[in-house]
Amino acid sequence: MLNFPHFLPASVLAVLLLPAGFTAAADAPKEDPNAPVSYYRKIRPIFEANCQGCHQPAKAKGGFVMTEFAAMVKGGDDDGPGLVPGKPEASSVVKNIIPDEKGEVQMPKKADVLKAEEVAVIRRWIAEGAVDDTPANARVVYTTEHPPVYTTAPLVTALDYAPDGSVLAVSGFHEVLLVNPATGALAARLVGLSERIESVRFSPDGKRLAVTGGLPGRAGEVQVWDVAERKLLVSKSVTADTVYGGSWSPDGTMIAFGGADKSARVIEAATGKQVFFVLTHDDWVQDTVFSVKGDYVVSVGRDMTAKLLEVASQRFVDNITSITPGALKGGLQAVARHPQRDEILVGGSTGEPLIYRMNRQVDRKIGDDSNLVRKYPAIDGRLWSVSYAPDGKTFAAGGSLDGKGMVATYNCDVDTKLPDDIKGIMNKVSTERNAEEVGKVNAWLTAGAVQLKLVPLPCGIYAVEFKPDGTELAAAGADGKIRIINAAEGTVARELQPFPLAPAAAQPVVK
């Protein structure tokens, strides 16, 4: 039996499940250019990528909703019908994407105009009758009024505490739940377009929440919510797959994230405008974090590297981790920055937590890993999430192996300043170091690097987060339960199940 990881997008699963010897491109029937334009296959992706961020139930600009077909036909507050079957020029959808009498294009706002071929296919589809050929099983609509219905708790991929510790954000299906971490009481449900949520992060002041995710194999999205008002402020569509690892700049003006397209990006938090874009990784970018001053971003990925990126110049600066084959033996899944220093904690496939300094103090040499300042005992399995305690003296890591999970805490109250003798050794090519020098470096890298507590749990753990006062840890994963762990004792203090469960017969709203 084939067992696929939960994080594979639908597009990848579809390929993996093809019969042996099947070649999709060669064997797929050729498309008839004279066939009617398919809304579901041709038009919907254009609207998802360019329009639905501003025209959805959670953020219906101009009163116009484009995520529900009937609402799109009706149109918005001022422009008349959105779609008039057979009459493209009478449809406000078309009016707003072509030049007006002043030669200006109204939509999309603050973004590139649609390509000529995209406009042409939309007009043709409307001229042919604007037929909605969405399959019945894809017509489910989720809104604040009609949120997802759970018959069992879903897998949790992301958690974050508000800065004052009073609220815990929890990823769900098509939504983020705001939960009281003391009681598990559900305070709010932030329902949006993204069916899969990959990260949730409160802004430094706690007033906004950044969410990354998307529609697997179709579109990525970054959401920014007003926490107090439960209002969607920004919905930024980007890439053709889910996006990962959202992080805030220290001043709260920017959000960084990564993509399955190997990109690292930064957008303005207030507008969604992209201000940074690089393609320096060789595989998915899974997580990001800003430097203390916010002038750099670190991105980590499945290509076994952590990369230092300068925001102002949109420039790749350095590989923080060694790129020498074998220096890292697996992809990196998670990164966190020390609360006071430009040091990063990374974890991934090997189960080994590692701490690196961001900025190089030793010249790069063949075979080096000279930015490494501490290496810790590995867990049995893969690390999915890491989190520093607020005082920077301990950290936690969550992982999984064979359906079981664990949360480990470690001491990091150590002096990471590079001693002169160690620096001298690291300035040598690795093959020139003798056994005594190698032993001296290893002794320094492991000094004080001890595991404090190990909490075994009955399911894979994909998210861990320290409470802002450092007394507790929240951990969650495959079974949908939130486990609050006493950080000092390494024991589960309580379990929360915040998802509202309905009888199995309950059905979602279909339109």
Side-chain angles (χ1 to χ4, degrees):
M1 185 175 84
L2 295 176
N3 292 302
F4 296 112
H6 74 277
F7 52 82
L8 286 178
S11 58
V12 176
L13 287 176
V15 172
L16 292 175
L17 291 170
L18 290 175
F22 183 87
T23 306
D27 296 351
K30 292 184 179 180
E31 188 171 334
D32 180 0
N34 297 314
V37 174
S38 166
Y39 167 74
Y40 188 71
R41 291 187 295 107
K42 297 289 187 180
I43 306 302
R44 175 191 51 83
I46 298 174
F47 290 163
E48 283 181 346
N50 299 282
C51 310
Q52 291 183 2
C54 292
H55 299 287
Q56 56 171 295
K59 191 172 183 256
K61 283 195 173 181
F64 191 24
V65 172
M66 297 183 69
T67 55
E68 301 170 20
F69 198 85
M72 185 162 54
V73 171
K74 180 181 177 183
D77 296 334
D78 304 316
D79 289 340
L83 298 173
V84 180
K87 298 181 179 180
E89 308 309 321
S91 304
S92 65
V93 164
V94 171
K95 292 178 184 177
N96 284 312
I97 61 175
I98 61 174
D100 58 18
E101 60 274 7
K102 297 179 181 179
E104 298 176 351
V105 176
Q106 299 301 313
M107 297 291 174
K109 291 283 188 184
K110 299 178 182 179
D112 294 337
V113 300
L114 297 186
K115 298 175 183 177
E117 55 268 30
E118 292 174 324
V119 174
V121 75
I122 291 170
R123 295 174 87 154
R124 178 181 161 190
W125 167 67
I126 297 174
E128 291 173 346
V131 175
D132 178 14
D133 62 347
T134 303
N137 63 357
R139 292 177 181 267
V140 178
V141 175
Y142 299 104
T143 66
T144 302
E145 293 73 27
H146 302 291
V149 174
Y150 300 99
T151 57
T152 187
L155 176 151
V156 175
T157 59
L159 296 168
D160 196 33
Y161 278 98
D164 65 0
S166 64
V167 178
L168 185 66
V170 181
S171 66
F173 176 74
H174 265 288
E175 66 176 336
V176 176
L177 282 66
L178 301 183
V179 177
N180 183 324
T183 66
L186 180 58
R189 305 177 71 174
L190 308 181
V191 183
L193 292 180
S194 293
E195 73 177 39
R196 182 164 178 89
I197 307 300
E198 296 291 353
S199 72
V200 294
R201 284 284 173 231
F202 281 97
S203 60
D205 62 7
K207 295 180 179 180
R208 292 166 294 167
L209 184 74
V211 181
T212 71
L215 304 170
R218 289 163 52 189
E221 184 194 21
V222 182
Q223 303 169 359
V224 182
W225 291 84
D226 181 311
V227 176
E229 298 296 327
R230 318 307 199 214
K231 179 182 178 182
L232 182 63
L233 302 175
V234 173
S235 171
K236 172 69 173 179
S237 296
V238 59
T239 86
D241 209 334
T242 46
V243 292
Y244 304 84
S247 61
W248 287 86
S249 61
D251 63 4
T253 63
M254 296 181 289
I255 299 167
F257 57 96
D261 63 348
K262 310 176 187 178
S263 71
R265 302 170 190 250
V266 178
I267 61 172
E268 292 179 349
T271 65
K273 178 184 177 182
Q274 183 170 289
V275 295
F276 178 95
F277 170 80
V278 293
L279 283 170
T280 56
H281 283 269
D282 292 326
D283 210 329
W284 295 9
V285 178
Q286 301 279 45
D287 205 0
T288 67
V289 69
F290 279 87
S291 62
V292 172
K293 293 182 179 179
D295 47 352
Y296 292 93
V297 166
V298 174
S299 57
V300 302
R302 299 199 313 184
D303 59 356
M304 299 183 281
T305 67
K307 297 183 182 291
L308 184 66
L309 312 168
E310 188 177 46
V311 177
S313 64
Q314 299 194 50
R315 181 173 64 95
F316 164 71
V317 177
D318 194 12
N319 285 297
I320 296 173
T321 50
S322 174
I323 60 172
T324 302
L328 283 175
K329 297 178 175 64
L332 297 179
Q333 181 71 27
V335 61
R337 195 204 71 229
H338 189 280
Q340 293 89 36
R341 302 193 294 265
D342 278 338
E343 294 175 357
I344 57 167
L345 166 65
V346 299
S349 299
T350 64
E352 182 181 27
L354 301 168
I355 295 178
Y356 285 86
R357 69 174 60 85
M358 287 189 191
N359 299 293
R360 183 170 296 280
Q361 296 182 16
V362 176
D363 292 339
R364 181 178 288 286
K365 304 289 185 181
I366 295 174
D368 81 342
D369 202 13
S370 58
N371 286 331
L372 182 65
V373 297
R374 282 299 180 278
K375 56 183 180 180
Y376 288 82
I379 63 165
D380 292 329
R382 179 190 298 260
L383 288 179
W384 294 102
S385 182
V386 293
S387 176
Y388 272 108
D391 61 6
K393 295 181 178 181
T394 58
F395 70 82
S400 66
L401 178 68
D402 297 334
K404 303 295 183 180
M406 66 290 293
V407 173
T409 57
Y410 297 84
N411 171 62
C412 59
D413 188 14
V414 294
D415 184 3
T416 57
K417 182 179 179 181
L418 188 63
D420 289 340
D421 58 339
I422 301 299
K423 184 175 182 179
I425 297 170
M426 287 185 170
N427 266 319
K428 293 183 178 182
V429 176
S430 60
T431 55
E432 296 176 353
R433 302 171 190 171
N434 61 40
E436 181 181 355
E437 290 173 329
V438 171
K440 183 178 270 191
V441 171
N442 284 335
W444 179 74
L445 289 174
T446 56
V450 296
Q451 188 181 95
L452 301 174
K453 302 290 182 181
L454 181 65
V455 185
L457 295 170
C459 71
I461 296 299
Y462 305 125
V464 294
E465 195 67 32
F466 263 101
K467 188 178 179 181
D469 66 6
T471 61
E472 294 182 332
L473 280 161
D479 66 0
K481 293 181 180 179
I482 315 300
R483 291 174 173 85
I484 305 299
I485 297 169
N486 183 299
E489 298 177 3
T491 56
V492 177
R494 58 192 178 278
E495 292 185 356
L496 312 176
Q497 199 298 96
F499 296 96
L501 302 183
Q507 295 294 325
V509 174
V510 178
K511 293 190 178 180

